[in-house]
Amino acid sequence: MTDQKDENARLNEEHKIRMQKTQAEVRERVKAAQEERGTLIVLTGDGKGKSTSGFGTVARAVGYDMSTAVVQFVKGTWPCGERDLLKKLGVPFHVMGTGFTWDTQDREKDIAAAREAWKTCAEHLQNPDLHLLLMDELTYMLNYGYLDTDEVLSALQARPVNQTVVITGRGAQQSLIDIADTVSEVKPLKHAFEAGIKARKGVDW
Ligand code: ATP
Ligand code: MG
């Protein structure tokens, strides 16, 4: 019994020392981060969670009554719970025109719709009062060559210093990763869909 008590006391002491060390390291790093500015966040990879993370960040900002906007580079008729919520809250929300057609592969129409949506992004990227801009699924537009990568990168770099931008989508281009401040790659370990489970309203869209 006494042996067990001693062992517990030793484990407790070890744990305390480890936690104190971690705390000191974290405090050191927090102190070192002194720069205050908006960031460019890229959420990429093949796993689930990119758009939900982007919208989660929008929800954070909205919670503080900060000015936010969303531009979604997907077909306008796709359902999306976040869109319905944010529109109700008065968040400017542009969805790429319904001309965008994965189905008919009408490239000219797709390009026109992508450029139209990009025009809205370009305006937001010049607005010093905008705290956060989410460009959901933008990476595909760059990968398909629907938008000019240099033009997009230049606009991102010229944006107001306090504006944060979140970009989601698979296969983020290296040039985009290079100019980003935070890049997360969501890696799929498992996905329910592969086990034959249908995508669910309120979970997957
Ligand atoms: P979410 O919107 O759920 O955060 P996402 O933005 O990371 O997903 P997308 O590539 O935009 O992923 O996915 C579009 C749709 O496909 C969403 O409904 C998403 O839940 C689903 N999905 C995401 N990853 C996978 C996967 N690895 N396998 C099957 N379906 C997926
Ligand atoms: Mg997505």
Side-chain angles (χ1 to χ4, degrees), residues 36-57:
E36 285 212 42
R37 63 170 172 85
T39 53
L40 174 58
I41 302 170
V42 174
L43 307 168
T44 192
D46 297 332
K48 172 178 168 56
K50 302 174 291 293
S51 293
T52 35
S53 170
F55 282 109
T57 313

Side-chain angles (χ1 to χ4, degrees), residues 12-25:
N12 273 341
E13 190 53 28
E14 259 182 33
H15 178 75
K16 207 169 114 188
I17 291 167
R18 252 202 325 269
M19 286 300 110
Q20 278 169 348
K21 196 166 162 251
T22 307
Q23 188 188 47
E25 281 167 6

